[in-house]
Amino acid sequence: MIPHYSSRHIIKPGITGYAQVMYPYGAGAKDARHKLMYDLYYIKNWTVGLEFKIIWKTVLTVLNYKGY
């Protein structure tokens, strides 16, 4: 079990997220820990600016065909 993993469920899931745009797809426990780090950062440091950054990075990912 990964410590603090359940903290991710404090917020509702959306179409995209900070972990999704900052870290590539991963299937292992190590990757889950890295994505959790980004999720917890998002929860603790949420701002409108961070939200726009996520949206912008999502648009760039889609337009550049770099989705994982």
Side-chain angles (χ1 to χ4, degrees):
M1 177 126 186
I2 300 172
H4 305 291
Y5 192 82
S6 63
S7 299
R8 300 176 75 224
H9 304 294
I10 291 172
I11 58 171
K12 289 183 177 182
I15 295 171
T16 187
Y18 194 55
Q20 285 73 25
V21 297
M22 298 301 292
Y23 195 81
Y25 175 79
K30 181 181 175 185
D31 295 326
R33 284 188 178 95
H34 277 104
K35 288 195 139 191
L36 175 62
M37 177 185 70
Y38 287 113
D39 285 336
L40 294 176
Y41 177 86
Y42 174 83
I43 292 167
K44 293 178 182 178
N45 299 291
W46 184 89
T47 62
V48 172
L50 181 59
E51 202 68 33
F52 281 118
K53 178 181 178 179
I54 294 167
I55 293 167
W56 178 246
K57 288 182 80 67
T58 300
V59 168
L60 291 177
T61 299
V62 171
L63 293 177
N64 291 320
Y65 301 104
K66 293 186 177 183
Y68 295 98

